[in-house]
Amino acid sequence: ADQGNTGVTYQASSPDEVALVEWSGNMGLSLAARTLTENTLTAPQGTTLAYDILQVFPFTSETKRMGIIVREKATGEILFYMKGADTVMMSIVQYNDWLTEEVDNMSREGLRTLVVARKTLSMEQYQDFEQRYSAAKLSVVNRAAQVSAVVESLQRDMKLLCVTGVEDKLQE
């Protein structure tokens, strides 16, 4: 997708991701650099936001969500971001009184919805998670189930950031 007249073209695994990145760019937040271990953004004021990528949890058709854990280089703050289908995210985000209504409104308009949430982790919480996650990945018995259980242990009581609605051009 061509992003305005900047000549920037984004590629993603879904139209939802392209729409999110294009909207962010229109708001003045753009990707400056990305490697396997680092992510750098340019904020609207021209400042740079740099993050270490600690963990990435890819989207799967089973979980219907994806996530990333990053550490802000300037502050050391560890943040867990997740986005996913409203059906799975409803039980993951902290209770609020508007999410269901907004999702229903967007669905009636024919939009595909995504729920985005965040959780701040202390260094101790992250180290505990990382230790359990590494052990689960090395497990000989029920490895996939153990890894999944450790990841899901983080996916509780997350702060709802937003709901997005994207026109579904893939289906009638």
Side-chain angles (χ1 to χ4, degrees):
D2 190 7
Q3 202 261 333
N5 58 6
T6 62
V8 175
T9 301
Y10 296 111
Q11 293 180 336
S13 57
S14 75
D16 308 70
E17 291 175 0
V18 173
L20 287 169
V21 173
E22 285 183 350
W23 179 83
S24 296
N26 291 337
M27 296 298 109
L29 183 69
S30 60
L31 180 65
R34 168 78 153 92
T35 67
L36 290 175
T37 59
E38 296 180 352
N39 196 8
T40 307
L41 306 174
T42 303
Q45 308 81 8
T47 56
T48 298
L49 304 169
Y51 300 90
D52 292 312
I53 298 170
L54 303 179
Q55 300 287 345
V56 175
F57 310 108
F59 177 87
T60 68
S61 54
E62 294 83 41
T63 63
K64 295 183 173 49
R65 58 188 177 266
M66 64 190 303
I68 187 169
I69 300 177
V70 295
R71 179 176 48 231
E72 189 172 359
K73 290 186 181 208
T75 64
E77 184 176 32
I78 298 174
L79 301 162
F80 173 33
Y81 288 96
M82 195 164 65
K83 70 176 177 116
D86 56 90
T87 51
V88 295
M89 295 294 288
M90 295 274 191
S91 62
I92 290 170
V93 298
Q94 296 167 343
Y95 175 78
N96 62 79
D97 55 2
W98 60 268
L99 179 58
T100 304
E101 184 179 350
E102 283 302 317
V103 166
D104 289 349
N105 289 341
M106 289 181 186
S107 294
R108 275 192 293 278
E109 292 177 32
L111 302 177
R112 278 193 321 175
T113 58
L114 271 180
V115 175
V116 182
R118 178 182 75 195
K119 185 178 198 175
T120 302
L121 303 174
S122 69
M123 180 57 80
E124 294 75 22
Q125 285 174 311
Y126 178 71
Q127 288 172 336
D128 174 63
F129 163 79
E130 190 178 40
Q131 190 174 26
R132 291 183 298 119
Y133 189 56
S134 295
K137 287 196 292 189
L138 294 173
S139 176
V140 177
V141 181
N142 292 334
R143 179 180 302 138
Q146 287 192 43
V147 168
S148 181
V150 172
V151 173
E152 285 176 16
S153 72
L154 272 188
Q155 300 172 355
R156 294 192 180 110
D157 203 30
M158 296 188 73
K159 179 182 180 185
L160 174 63
L161 293 180
C162 68
V163 179
T164 65
V166 175
E167 184 181 1
D168 190 347
K169 293 185 176 181
L170 299 177
Q171 301 178 33
E172 287 298 322

